[in-house]
Coordinates of all heavy atoms in Angstrom, one line a residue:
M1 N 0.8 -1.2 0.0 CA 0.0 0.0 0.0 C 0.9 1.2 0.0 O 1.9 1.3 0.7 CB -0.9 0.0 1.2 CG -2.0 1.0 1.2 SD -3.1 0.7 -0.2 CE -4.6 0.3 0.7
V2 N 0.5 2.2 -0.8 CA 1.2 3.5 -0.9 C 0.3 4.6 -0.4 O -0.9 4.6 -0.8 CB 1.7 3.8 -2.3 CG1 2.3 5.2 -2.4 CG2 2.7 2.7 -2.7
E3 N 0.8 5.5 0.5 CA 0.0 6.6 1.0 C 0.4 7.9 0.4 O 1.6 8.3 0.5 CB 0.0 6.7 2.5 CG -0.9 7.8 3.0 CD -0.9 7.8 4.5 OE1 -0.7 6.8 5.2 OE2 -1.1 8.9 5.0
I4 N -0.5 8.6 -0.3 CA -0.2 9.9 -0.9 C -0.9 10.9 0.0 O -2.0 10.8 0.4 CB -0.8 10.0 -2.3 CG1 -0.2 8.9 -3.2 CG2 -0.5 11.4 -2.9 CD1 1.3 9.0 -3.4
T5 N -0.1 11.9 0.4 CA -0.7 13.0 1.2 C -0.5 14.3 0.4 O 0.6 14.6 -0.1 CB 0.1 13.2 2.5 OG1 0.0 11.9 3.2 CG2 -0.6 14.3 3.4
L6 N -1.6 15.0 0.2 CA -1.6 16.3 -0.5 C -1.8 17.4 0.5 O -2.8 17.4 1.2 CB -2.7 16.4 -1.6 CG -2.9 17.7 -2.3 CD1 -1.6 18.0 -3.1 CD2 -4.1 17.6 -3.2
I7 N -0.8 18.2 0.7 CA -0.9 19.3 1.7 C -1.2 20.6 1.0 O -0.5 21.0 0.0 CB 0.5 19.4 2.4 CG1 0.8 18.1 3.1 CG2 0.4 20.6 3.5 CD1 2.2 18.0 3.7
T8 N -2.3 21.2 1.4 CA -2.8 22.4 0.7 C -3.3 23.5 1.7 O -3.1 23.3 2.9 CB -4.1 22.0 -0.1 OG1 -5.1 21.5 0.8 CG2 -3.8 20.9 -1.1
K9 N -3.9 24.5 1.2 CA -4.7 25.4 2.0 C -5.8 26.0 1.1 O -5.6 26.1 -0.1 CB -3.8 26.5 2.6 CG -3.5 27.7 1.7 CD -2.8 28.8 2.5 CE -2.5 29.9 1.5 NZ -1.8 31.0 2.2
P10 N -6.9 26.4 1.7 CA -8.0 27.0 1.0 C -7.6 28.2 0.3 O -6.8 29.0 0.8 CB -9.1 27.3 2.0 CG -8.7 26.3 3.2 CD -7.2 26.2 3.1
G11 N -8.1 28.4 -1.0 CA -7.8 29.6 -1.7 C -6.5 29.6 -2.5 O -6.1 30.6 -3.1
C12 N -5.8 28.5 -2.4 CA -4.5 28.4 -3.1 C -4.7 27.9 -4.5 O -5.2 26.8 -4.7 CB -3.6 27.4 -2.3 SG -2.2 26.8 -3.2
H13 N -4.4 28.7 -5.5 CA -4.7 28.3 -6.9 C -3.8 27.2 -7.4 O -4.2 26.4 -8.2 CB -4.6 29.5 -7.9 CG -3.2 30.0 -8.1 ND1 -2.5 30.8 -7.2 CD2 -2.4 29.8 -9.1 CE1 -1.3 31.1 -7.7 NE2 -1.2 30.5 -8.9
L14 N -2.6 27.1 -6.9 CA -1.7 26.0 -7.3 C -2.3 24.7 -6.7 O -2.2 23.6 -7.3 CB -0.3 26.2 -6.8 CG 0.5 27.3 -7.5 CD1 1.9 27.5 -6.9 CD2 0.6 27.1 -9.0
C15 N -2.8 24.8 -5.5 CA -3.5 23.6 -4.9 C -4.7 23.2 -5.7 O -4.9 22.0 -5.9 CB -3.9 23.9 -3.4 SG -2.6 24.4 -2.3
D16 N -5.4 24.1 -6.2 CA -6.6 23.8 -7.0 C -6.2 23.1 -8.3 O -6.9 22.3 -8.9 CB -7.4 25.0 -7.3 CG -8.1 25.6 -6.0 OD1 -8.3 24.8 -5.0 OD2 -8.5 26.8 -6.0
D17 N -5.0 23.5 -8.8 CA -4.5 22.9 -10.0 C -4.0 21.5 -9.8 O -4.1 20.6 -10.6 CB -3.3 23.8 -10.6 CG -3.8 25.1 -11.2 OD1 -5.0 25.3 -11.4 OD2 -2.9 26.0 -11.4
A18 N -3.3 21.3 -8.6 CA -2.7 20.1 -8.3 C -3.7 19.0 -7.9 O -3.5 17.8 -8.3 CB -1.7 20.2 -7.1
R19 N -4.7 19.3 -7.2 CA -5.7 18.4 -6.7 C -6.2 17.4 -7.8 O -6.2 16.2 -7.6 CB -6.8 19.1 -6.0 CG -7.8 18.2 -5.3 CD -8.9 19.0 -4.5 NE -8.3 19.8 -3.4 CZ -8.1 21.1 -3.5 NH1 -8.5 21.8 -4.5 NH2 -7.5 21.7 -2.5
P20 N -6.8 17.9 -8.9 CA -7.3 16.9 -9.9 C -6.2 16.0 -10.5 O -6.5 14.9 -10.8 CB -8.0 17.8 -10.9 CG -7.5 19.2 -10.7 CD -7.0 19.3 -9.3
I21 N -5.0 16.5 -10.6 CA -3.9 15.7 -11.1 C -3.6 14.6 -10.1 O -3.6 13.4 -10.5 CB -2.7 16.6 -11.3 CG1 -2.9 17.6 -12.4 CG2 -1.5 15.7 -11.7 CD1 -1.8 18.6 -12.5
V22 N -3.5 14.9 -8.9 CA -3.2 13.9 -7.9 C -4.4 12.9 -7.8 O -4.2 11.7 -7.8 CB -2.9 14.5 -6.5 CG1 -2.8 13.4 -5.4 CG2 -1.7 15.4 -6.6
E23 N -5.6 13.4 -7.8 CA -6.8 12.5 -7.7 C -6.8 11.5 -8.9 O -7.1 10.3 -8.8 CB -8.0 13.3 -7.6 CG -8.2 14.0 -6.3 CD -9.4 14.9 -6.3 OE1 -9.9 15.3 -7.3 OE2 -9.8 15.3 -5.1
R24 N -6.5 12.1 -10.1 CA -6.5 11.2 -11.3 C -5.5 10.1 -11.2 O -5.7 9.0 -11.6 CB -6.3 12.1 -12.5 CG -6.4 11.4 -13.8 CD -6.4 12.4 -15.0 NE -5.4 13.4 -15.0 CZ -5.7 14.7 -14.9 NH1 -6.9 15.2 -14.7 NH2 -4.7 15.6 -14.9
V25 N -4.3 10.5 -10.8 CA -3.2 9.5 -10.7 C -3.6 8.4 -9.6 O -3.5 7.2 -9.9 CB -1.9 10.2 -10.3 CG1 -0.8 9.1 -10.0 CG2 -1.4 11.0 -11.5
V26 N -4.0 8.8 -8.5 CA -4.4 7.9 -7.4 C -5.5 7.0 -7.9 O -5.5 5.8 -7.5 CB -4.7 8.7 -6.1 CG1 -5.4 7.7 -5.1 CG2 -3.5 9.3 -5.5
A27 N -6.4 7.5 -8.6 CA -7.6 6.7 -9.1 C -7.1 5.5 -10.0 O -7.8 4.5 -10.1 CB -8.6 7.5 -9.8
G28 N -5.9 5.6 -10.5 CA -5.4 4.6 -11.4 C -4.8 3.4 -10.7 O -4.3 2.5 -11.3
F29 N -4.7 3.5 -9.4 CA -4.1 2.4 -8.6 C -5.0 1.9 -7.5 O -5.5 2.7 -6.7 CB -2.8 3.0 -7.9 CG -1.7 3.3 -8.9 CD1 -1.6 4.7 -9.3 CD2 -0.8 2.4 -9.4 CE1 -0.6 5.0 -10.2 CE2 0.2 2.8 -10.3 CZ 0.3 4.1 -10.7
D30 N -5.1 0.6 -7.3 CA -5.9 0.0 -6.3 C -5.2 0.1 -4.9 O -5.9 0.2 -3.9 CB -6.3 -1.4 -6.6 CG -7.2 -1.6 -7.8 OD1 -8.0 -0.6 -8.0 OD2 -7.1 -2.6 -8.4
Q31 N -3.9 0.1 -4.9 CA -3.2 0.0 -3.6 C -2.6 1.4 -3.2 O -1.6 1.4 -2.5 CB -2.1 -1.0 -3.8 CG -2.6 -2.4 -4.0 CD -1.4 -3.3 -4.2 OE1 -0.4 -3.0 -4.8 NE2 -1.5 -4.5 -3.6
V32 N -3.3 2.4 -3.5 CA -2.9 3.8 -3.2 C -4.0 4.5 -2.5 O -5.2 4.5 -2.9 CB -2.4 4.6 -4.4 CG1 -2.0 6.0 -4.1 CG2 -1.3 3.8 -5.1
T33 N -3.7 5.2 -1.4 CA -4.7 6.0 -0.6 C -4.3 7.4 -0.8 O -3.1 7.8 -0.9 CB -4.8 5.6 0.8 OG1 -3.5 5.8 1.5 CG2 -5.2 4.1 1.0
L34 N -5.2 8.3 -0.7 CA -5.0 9.8 -0.7 C -5.6 10.4 0.5 O -6.8 10.2 0.8 CB -5.6 10.3 -2.0 CG -5.6 11.8 -2.1 CD1 -4.1 12.4 -2.1 CD2 -6.3 12.3 -3.4
T35 N -4.8 11.2 1.1 CA -5.3 12.1 2.2 C -4.9 13.5 1.9 O -3.8 13.8 1.5 CB -4.6 11.7 3.6 OG1 -4.8 10.3 3.8 CG2 -5.1 12.5 4.7
E36 N -5.8 14.4 2.1 CA -5.5 15.8 1.9 C -5.6 16.5 3.3 O -6.5 16.4 4.0 CB -6.6 16.5 1.0 CG -6.2 17.9 0.7 CD -7.1 18.6 -0.4 OE1 -7.7 17.8 -1.2 OE2 -7.1 19.8 -0.5
L37 N -4.5 17.3 3.5 CA -4.4 18.0 4.8 C -4.2 19.5 4.5 O -3.5 19.9 3.5 CB -3.2 17.5 5.6 CG -3.1 16.1 5.9 CD1 -1.8 15.7 6.6 CD2 -4.3 15.7 6.8
S38 N -4.8 20.4 5.3 CA -4.7 21.8 5.1 C -3.7 22.3 6.2 O -3.7 22.0 7.3 CB -6.0 22.5 5.3 OG -5.8 23.9 5.4
I39 N -2.8 23.2 5.7 CA -1.8 23.8 6.7 C -2.6 24.7 7.7 O -2.0 25.0 8.7 CB -0.7 24.6 5.9 CG1 -1.3 25.8 5.2 CG2 0.1 23.7 5.1 CD1 -0.2 26.7 4.6
L40 N -3.8 25.1 7.4 CA -4.6 25.9 8.3 C -5.0 25.1 9.5 O -5.4 25.7 10.6 CB -5.8 26.5 7.6 CG -5.4 27.5 6.5 CD1 -6.7 28.1 5.9 CD2 -4.5 28.6 6.9
D41 N -5.1 23.8 9.4 CA -5.5 22.9 10.5 C -4.4 22.3 11.3 O -4.7 21.7 12.3 CB -6.3 21.7 9.9 CG -7.6 22.2 9.2 OD1 -8.1 23.2 9.6 OD2 -8.0 21.5 8.2
D42 N -3.2 22.6 10.9 CA -2.0 22.0 11.6 C -0.9 22.9 11.7 O -0.2 23.1 10.7 CB -1.7 20.7 10.9 CG -0.6 19.9 11.7 OD1 0.3 20.5 12.3 OD2 -0.6 18.6 11.5
P43 N -0.6 23.5 12.8 CA 0.5 24.5 12.9 C 1.9 23.9 12.5 O 2.7 24.6 11.9 CB 0.5 24.9 14.4 CG -0.8 24.6 14.9 CD -1.3 23.4 14.1
A44 N 2.1 22.6 12.8 CA 3.4 22.0 12.4 C 3.5 22.0 10.8 O 4.6 22.2 10.3 CB 3.5 20.6 13.0
L45 N 2.4 21.6 10.2 CA 2.4 21.6 8.7 C 2.6 23.0 8.2 O 3.4 23.2 7.2 CB 1.1 21.0 8.2 CG 0.9 19.5 8.3 CD1 -0.4 19.1 7.7 CD2 2.0 18.7 7.6
A46 N 2.0 24.0 8.8 CA 2.1 25.4 8.3 C 3.5 25.8 8.5 O 4.1 26.5 7.6 CB 1.2 26.3 9.2
E47 N 4.2 25.5 9.6 CA 5.5 25.9 9.8 C 6.5 25.3 8.8 O 7.4 26.0 8.2 CB 6.0 25.6 11.2 CG 7.4 26.1 11.5 CD 7.8 25.8 13.0 OE1 6.9 25.8 13.8 OE2 9.0 25.6 13.2
R48 N 6.2 24.1 8.5 CA 7.2 23.3 7.6 C 6.9 23.6 6.1 O 7.9 23.7 5.3 CB 7.0 21.8 7.8 CG 8.0 21.0 7.0 CD 8.2 19.7 7.5 NE 9.1 19.0 6.7 CZ 9.4 17.7 6.9 NH1 8.8 17.0 7.8 NH2 10.3 17.1 6.1
Y49 N 5.6 23.8 5.7 CA 5.3 23.8 4.3 C 4.7 25.1 3.8 O 4.3 25.1 2.6 CB 4.4 22.6 3.9 CG 5.0 21.2 4.1 CD1 4.5 20.4 5.1 CD2 6.1 20.8 3.4 CE1 5.1 19.1 5.3 CE2 6.7 19.6 3.6 CZ 6.2 18.7 4.5 OH 6.7 17.5 4.7
S50 N 4.5 26.1 4.6 CA 3.7 27.2 4.1 C 4.2 27.9 2.9 O 3.4 28.4 2.1 CB 3.5 28.2 5.3 OG 4.8 28.8 5.6
D51 N 5.5 27.9 2.6 CA 6.0 28.5 1.4 C 6.1 27.6 0.2 O 6.4 28.0 -0.9 CB 7.4 29.0 1.7 CG 7.4 30.2 2.7 OD1 6.4 30.9 2.8 OD2 8.4 30.3 3.4
D52 N 5.7 26.3 0.4 CA 5.9 25.3 -0.6 C 4.6 24.7 -1.2 O 4.7 23.9 -2.1 CB 6.8 24.2 -0.1 CG 8.1 24.7 0.3 OD1 8.7 25.6 -0.4 OD2 8.7 24.1 1.3
I53 N 3.4 25.0 -0.6 CA 2.2 24.3 -1.0 C 1.8 24.6 -2.5 O 2.2 25.7 -3.0 CB 1.0 24.7 -0.1 CG1 0.8 26.1 -0.1 CG2 1.3 24.1 1.3 CD1 -0.5 26.5 0.6
P54 N 1.2 23.7 -3.1 CA 0.9 22.3 -2.6 C 2.1 21.4 -2.5 O 3.0 21.6 -3.3 CB -0.1 21.8 -3.6 CG 0.3 22.4 -4.9 CD 0.8 23.8 -4.5
V55 N 2.1 20.5 -1.6 CA 3.1 19.6 -1.4 C 2.5 18.2 -1.5 O 1.5 17.9 -0.9 CB 3.8 19.7 0.0 CG1 4.8 18.6 0.2 CG2 4.5 21.1 0.1
V56 N 3.2 17.3 -2.2 CA 2.8 15.9 -2.3 C 3.8 15.1 -1.6 O 5.0 15.2 -1.9 CB 2.7 15.4 -3.8 CG1 2.3 14.0 -3.9 CG2 1.6 16.3 -4.5
L57 N 3.3 14.3 -0.6 CA 4.2 13.3 0.1 C 3.8 11.9 -0.4 O 2.6 11.6 -0.6 CB 3.9 13.4 1.6 CG 4.1 14.8 2.3 CD1 3.8 14.6 3.7 CD2 5.5 15.3 2.1
I58 N 4.8 11.1 -0.6 CA 4.6 9.7 -0.8 C 5.2 8.9 0.3 O 6.4 9.0 0.6 CB 5.3 9.2 -2.2 CG1 4.7 10.0 -3.3 CG2 5.1 7.7 -2.4 CD1 5.4 9.7 -4.7
D59 N 4.3 8.2 1.0 CA 4.7 7.5 2.3 C 5.5 8.4 3.2 O 6.5 8.0 3.8 CB 5.5 6.2 1.9 CG 4.6 5.2 1.2 OD1 3.4 5.2 1.5 OD2 5.1 4.4 0.4
G60 N 5.0 9.6 3.3 CA 5.6 10.6 4.3 C 6.8 11.3 3.8 O 7.3 12.2 4.5
R61 N 7.3 11.0 2.6 CA 8.5 11.7 2.1 C 8.0 12.7 0.9 O 7.2 12.3 0.1 CB 9.5 10.7 1.5 CG 10.1 9.9 2.6 CD 11.1 9.0 2.0 NE 12.1 8.7 3.0 CZ 13.2 8.1 2.7 NH1 13.5 7.8 1.5 NH2 14.1 7.9 3.7
Q62 N 8.6 13.9 1.0 CA 8.2 14.9 0.0 C 8.6 14.4 -1.4 O 9.7 14.1 -1.7 CB 8.9 16.2 0.3 CG 8.4 17.3 -0.6 CD 8.8 18.7 -0.2 OE1 9.1 18.9 1.0 NE2 8.9 19.6 -1.1
H63 N 7.6 14.4 -2.3 CA 7.8 14.1 -3.7 C 7.8 15.4 -4.5 O 8.7 15.5 -5.4 CB 6.6 13.2 -4.2 CG 6.6 13.1 -5.7 ND1 7.5 12.3 -6.4 CD2 5.8 13.6 -6.6 CE1 7.2 12.4 -7.7 NE2 6.2 13.2 -7.8
S64 N 6.9 16.3 -4.3 CA 6.9 17.5 -5.1 C 6.3 18.7 -4.3 O 5.7 18.5 -3.3 CB 6.1 17.3 -6.4 OG 4.8 17.1 -6.1
A65 N 6.6 19.9 -4.8 CA 6.1 21.1 -4.2 C 5.7 22.1 -5.4 O 6.4 22.0 -6.4 CB 7.1 21.8 -3.3
W66 N 4.8 22.9 -5.2 CA 4.3 23.9 -6.1 C 3.5 23.4 -7.3 O 2.4 23.7 -7.5 CB 5.4 24.9 -6.6 CG 6.0 25.6 -5.5 CD1 5.5 26.3 -4.5 CD2 7.4 25.7 -5.2 NE1 6.4 26.9 -3.6 CE2 7.6 26.5 -4.1 CE3 8.6 25.2 -5.9 CZ2 8.9 26.8 -3.6 CZ3 9.8 25.5 -5.4 CH2 10.0 26.3 -4.3
R67 N 4.1 22.5 -8.0 CA 3.5 21.9 -9.2 C 3.6 20.4 -9.1 O 4.6 19.9 -8.7 CB 4.1 22.4 -10.5 CG 4.1 23.9 -10.5 CD 3.5 24.4 -11.8 NE 3.6 25.9 -11.9 CZ 2.5 26.7 -11.8 NH1 1.4 26.2 -11.6 NH2 2.7 28.0 -11.9
V68 N 2.6 19.7 -9.7 CA 2.6 18.2 -9.7 C 2.8 17.8 -11.2 O 1.9 18.2 -12.0 CB 1.3 17.6 -9.1 CG1 1.4 16.1 -9.2 CG2 1.2 18.1 -7.7
D69 N 3.8 17.0 -11.5 CA 4.0 16.4 -12.8 C 3.3 15.0 -12.8 O 3.7 14.1 -12.0 CB 5.5 16.3 -13.1 CG 5.7 15.7 -14.4 OD1 5.3 14.6 -14.7 OD2 6.4 16.4 -15.2
E70 N 2.2 14.9 -13.5 CA 1.4 13.7 -13.5 C 2.3 12.4 -13.9 O 2.2 11.4 -13.2 CB 0.3 13.8 -14.5 CG -0.7 12.7 -14.4 CD -2.0 12.9 -15.2 OE1 -2.2 14.1 -15.6 OE2 -2.8 12.0 -15.4
A71 N 3.1 12.5 -14.9 CA 3.9 11.4 -15.3 C 4.9 11.0 -14.2 O 5.1 9.8 -13.9 CB 4.6 11.7 -16.6
K72 N 5.6 12.0 -13.6 CA 6.5 11.7 -12.5 C 5.9 11.0 -11.3 O 6.4 10.1 -10.7 CB 7.3 12.9 -12.1 CG 8.3 13.4 -13.2 CD 9.1 14.6 -12.7 CE 10.0 15.0 -13.8 NZ 10.8 16.2 -13.4
L73 N 4.7 11.6 -10.9 CA 4.0 11.0 -9.8 C 3.6 9.6 -10.1 O 3.7 8.7 -9.3 CB 2.8 11.9 -9.4 CG 1.9 11.4 -8.3 CD1 2.8 11.3 -7.0 CD2 0.7 12.3 -8.1
T74 N 3.1 9.3 -11.3 CA 2.6 8.0 -11.7 C 3.8 7.0 -11.6 O 3.7 5.9 -11.1 CB 2.0 8.0 -13.1 OG1 0.9 8.9 -13.1 CG2 1.6 6.6 -13.6
D75 N 4.9 7.4 -12.2 CA 6.1 6.6 -12.2 C 6.6 6.3 -10.8 O 7.0 5.2 -10.5 CB 7.3 7.2 -13.0 CG 7.0 7.2 -14.5 OD1 6.1 6.5 -15.0 OD2 7.7 8.0 -15.2
R76 N 6.6 7.3 -9.9 CA 7.1 7.1 -8.6 C 6.2 6.1 -7.8 O 6.7 5.3 -7.1 CB 7.1 8.4 -7.9 CG 7.7 8.4 -6.5 CD 9.2 7.9 -6.6 NE 9.8 8.0 -5.3 CZ 10.6 9.1 -5.0 NH1 10.8 10.1 -5.8 NH2 11.1 9.1 -3.8
I77 N 4.9 6.2 -8.0 CA 4.0 5.3 -7.4 C 4.2 3.8 -7.9 O 4.3 2.9 -7.1 CB 2.5 5.7 -7.6 CG1 2.2 7.0 -6.8 CG2 1.5 4.6 -7.2 CD1 0.9 7.6 -7.1
R78 N 4.4 3.7 -9.2 CA 4.6 2.4 -9.8 C 5.9 1.8 -9.2 O 5.9 0.6 -8.9 CB 4.8 2.5 -11.3 CG 3.5 2.6 -12.0 CD 3.7 2.4 -13.5 NE 2.4 2.6 -14.2 CZ 2.2 3.4 -15.2 NH1 3.2 4.2 -15.7 NH2 1.0 3.5 -15.7
T79 N 6.9 2.6 -9.0 CA 8.2 2.2 -8.4 C 7.9 1.7 -7.0 O 8.4 0.6 -6.6 CB 9.2 3.3 -8.5 OG1 9.5 3.6 -9.8 CG2 10.5 2.8 -7.8
R80 N 7.2 2.5 -6.2 CA 6.9 2.1 -4.8 C 6.1 0.8 -4.7 O 6.3 0.1 -3.8 CB 6.1 3.2 -4.1 CG 6.9 4.6 -4.0 CD 8.0 4.6 -3.0 NE 7.4 4.3 -1.7 CZ 8.2 3.9 -0.7 NH1 9.5 3.8 -0.8 NH2 7.6 3.7 0.5
L81 N 5.3 0.6 -5.7 CA 4.4 -0.6 -5.7 C 5.2 -1.8 -6.3 O 4.7 -2.9 -6.2 CB 3.1 -0.4 -6.5 CG 2.1 0.5 -5.8 CD1 1.0 0.8 -6.8 CD2 1.6 -0.1 -4.5
G82 N 6.4 -1.6 -6.9 CA 7.1 -2.6 -7.5 C 6.5 -3.1 -8.8 O 6.7 -4.2 -9.2
A83 N 5.8 -2.2 -9.4 CA 5.1 -2.6 -10.7 C 6.0 -2.3 -11.9 O 6.9 -1.5 -11.9 CB 3.8 -1.8 -10.8

């Protein structure tokens, strides 16, 4: 199982651009979960990522910030799944 975390905040246009890309990629895999977290709900996330959102984490490790490349995210997930 691979866990994808999308860190965002309301009103972030880059987050709005990234969300459908991440959702589309995750939908292509049965063994992948997606959690979205807002930096407004977690001071630790805000301190760490406020200048970098949106941030995509794969199994807790940062994969990307600001923009999401669909092909790179797909490839990274495939690698994590051993596919």
Side-chain angles (χ1 to χ4, degrees):
M1 193 62 116
V2 174
E3 183 176 329
I4 304 298
T5 305
L6 178 61
I7 302 172
T8 64
K9 82 171 182 179
C12 166
H13 73 280
L14 291 177
C15 301
D16 293 341
D17 292 344
R19 186 176 296 105
I21 295 169
V22 174
E23 289 173 343
R24 185 169 47 248
V25 170
V26 168
F29 296 95
D30 292 333
Q31 296 178 318
V32 178
T33 62
L34 173 61
T35 302
E36 184 172 341
L37 303 174
S38 170
I39 63 170
L40 299 183
D41 297 331
D42 186 328
L45 288 177
E47 184 175 328
R48 184 164 182 186
Y49 296 115
S50 65
D51 293 332
D52 297 326
I53 60 167
V55 174
V56 176
L57 306 178
I58 299 176
D59 292 332
R61 293 183 150 190
Q62 187 169 332
H63 168 72
S64 62
W66 299 310
R67 305 233 183 252
V68 178
D69 182 299
E70 186 169 349
K72 287 182 181 179
L73 181 58
T74 300
D75 288 344
R76 186 61 172 264
I77 292 171
R78 281 190 182 127
T79 299
R80 298 287 298 163
L81 290 172

